[in-house]
């Protein structure tokens, strides 16, 4: 297990405090003091799970803009997949051809893998079942409701072509 | 101006309800557990996003409270961040416990079963 580092605690503390202020939306001294106490306790206990490597990665404006750009890409993919799923459902759920494909991915870091597989799961029609590593190459097992290509590379291009480019810009 | 915002809010709520209904019908009609989960993903994505954007517009333009608008945005983000983790774990658990529900619906291809069941 990782050791607790000061920079990781500070980054987690700032994030918790921002969320606290957004949720309570009150700036009296008592509320802010309670927020500082709760955020500090959370940060001390959970920073070693939450922040690995460079803790202040996201205080870099370039990364924030690439994350915003990625969310635009992701939203357009999301709308396309939702429209397809609505067509299948309102057509009577007949056109399903489910299968689990094994897709190679170029992502290396844990955060990149997590963001990519979360995005894939959040798109209707695909769910990431598992991540496995073989000889330094990471693979995703993806349940796909309408299998259009059985080989790993072609399926990967169809499922995560534009998503993966965006995630790589954010995390590596 | 206000009437245009009001119309936009109504359209967003109807679109959100349309996709949430698609997800619900999918949960009831799809053949097995994994396909049901696929259909249900429509609800937390476009359903929640459209309805919470409508809520943010309503709070900002008609109630004039920044406080409620920000809270709705935080709630929508929380749903978007936590939902995929739950779906992933439920799908993996249903597959590994062999409780998919439909025995005659074959997965084709089934790379996961091939790599881990031998």
């Amino acid at each position: 297990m990782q050791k607790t580092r000061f920079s990781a605690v500070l980054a987690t503390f700032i994030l918790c405090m921002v969320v606290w202020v957004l949720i309570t939306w009150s700036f009296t001294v008592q509320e802010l003091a309670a927020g500082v106490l709760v955020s500090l306790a959370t940060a001390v206990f959970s920073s070693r799970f939450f922040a690995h490597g460079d803790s202040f990665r996201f205080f870099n404006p370039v990364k924030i803009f690439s994350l915003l750009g990625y969310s635009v890409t992701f939203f357009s993919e999301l709308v396309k997949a939702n429209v397809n799923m609505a067509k299948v459902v309102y057509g009577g759920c007949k056109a399903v051809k489910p299968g689990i494909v094994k897709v190679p991915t170029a992502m290396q870091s844990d955060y990149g893998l997590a963001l990519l597989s979360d995005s894939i799961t959040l798109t209707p029609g695909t769910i990431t079942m598992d991540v496995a590593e073989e000889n330094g190459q990471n693979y995703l097992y993806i349940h796909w409701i309408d299998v259009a290509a059985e080989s790993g590379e072609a399926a990967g291009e169809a499922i995560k072509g534009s998503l993966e480019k965006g995630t790589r810009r954010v995390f590596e | 101006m206000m009437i245009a915002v009001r119309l936009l809010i109504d359209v967003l709520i109807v679109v959100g309800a349309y996709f949430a209904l698609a997800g619900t019908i999918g949960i009831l009609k799809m053949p097995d557990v994994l396909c049901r989960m696929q259909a249900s993903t429509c609800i937390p994505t476009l359903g929640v996003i459209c309805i919470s954007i409508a809520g943010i517009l309503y709070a900002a333009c008609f109630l004039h409270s920044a406080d409620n608008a920000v809270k709705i945005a935080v709630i929508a983000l929380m749903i978007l961040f936590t939902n995929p983790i739950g779906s992933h774990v439920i799908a993996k658990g249903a597959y590994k416990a062999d409780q998919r529900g439909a025995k005659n619906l074959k997965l084709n291809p089934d790379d996961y079963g091939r790599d881990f069941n031998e």
Side-chain angles (χ1 to χ4, degrees):
Chain A
M1 183 172 297
Q2 234 193 352
K3 271 198 305 188
T4 304
R5 288 169 303 134
F6 178 71
S7 64
V9 173
L10 190 63
T12 318
F13 172 76
I14 293 174
L15 184 76
C16 293
M17 200 60 208
V18 167
V19 173
W20 174 277
V21 169
L22 287 182
I23 287 181
T24 58
W25 203 260
S26 86
F27 299 95
T28 57
V29 178
Q30 289 100 318
E31 291 265 15
L32 287 180
V36 167
L37 280 181
V38 173
S39 310
L40 202 59
T42 315
V44 166
F45 285 112
S46 66
S47 64
R48 60 173 180 237
F49 310 111
F50 185 72
H52 300 179
D54 176 16
S55 316
F56 291 99
R57 192 188 288 115
F58 271 98
F59 291 78
N60 175 357
V62 177
K63 291 283 178 191
I64 297 214
F65 280 114
S66 60
L67 190 64
L68 286 179
Y70 173 66
S71 57
V72 173
T73 324
F74 175 61
F75 190 73
S76 67
E77 289 288 315
L78 202 61
V79 172
K80 259 186 265 167
N82 265 284
V83 170
N84 281 339
M85 180 54 79
K87 265 185 211 154
V88 170
V89 169
Y90 289 129
C93 302
K94 294 287 187 297
V96 294
K97 215 170 45 164
I100 301 178
V101 287
K102 181 182 183 182
V103 169
T105 172
M107 308 299 296
Q108 294 293 336
S109 67
D110 286 353
Y111 291 116
L113 281 172
L115 182 65
L116 181 62
S117 45
D118 272 6
S119 311
I120 290 172
T121 307
L122 212 44
T123 323
T126 47
I127 289 183
T128 312
M129 306 276 291
D130 213 340
V131 180
E133 197 205 342
E134 282 170 21
N135 312 326
Q137 168 81 40
N138 288 312
Y139 291 95
L140 301 172
Y141 290 94
I142 297 175
H143 179 264
W144 196 3
I145 198 164
D146 185 23
V147 178
E150 297 199 5
S151 80
E153 282 77 17
E157 191 51 42
I159 294 175
K160 64 178 172 55
S162 57
L163 293 180
E164 187 163 34
K165 282 191 208 93
T167 0
R168 292 190 68 173
R169 224 171 291 133
V170 177
F171 273 114
E172 351 225 300
Chain B
M1 182 57 208
M2 269 340 222
I3 193 79
V5 176
R6 183 73 225 205
L7 273 177
L8 182 62
I9 290 172
D10 291 350
V11 168
L12 280 174
I13 288 182
V14 169
V15 171
Y18 175 82
F19 283 106
L21 182 67
T24 315
I25 295 177
I27 292 177
L28 295 172
K29 283 193 69 178
M30 284 288 181
D32 75 337
V33 172
L34 297 174
C35 295
R36 282 165 204 241
M37 304 214 40
Q38 302 280 19
S40 76
T41 323
C42 278
I43 304 172
T45 55
L46 265 199
V48 165
I49 289 175
C50 288
I51 291 182
S52 53
I53 290 176
I56 291 169
L57 283 178
Y58 187 76
C61 299
F62 290 93
L63 302 181
H64 300 293
S65 65
D67 150 338
N68 286 338
V70 169
K71 265 179 212 169
I72 297 172
V74 172
I75 291 170
L77 280 182
M78 286 291 166
I79 292 176
L80 282 185
F81 281 133
T82 51
N83 170 70
I85 299 166
S87 313
H88 153 74
V89 171
I90 294 173
K92 193 172 161 185
Y95 185 87
K96 288 214 161 163
D98 205 9
Q99 295 291 331
R100 287 202 299 117
K103 292 282 179 230
N104 51 358
L105 183 74
K106 275 262 179 269
L107 291 169
N108 174 45
D110 186 1
D111 292 350
Y112 197 44
R114 184 199 64 203
D115 287 358
F116 287 97
N117 279 350
E118 54 207 36

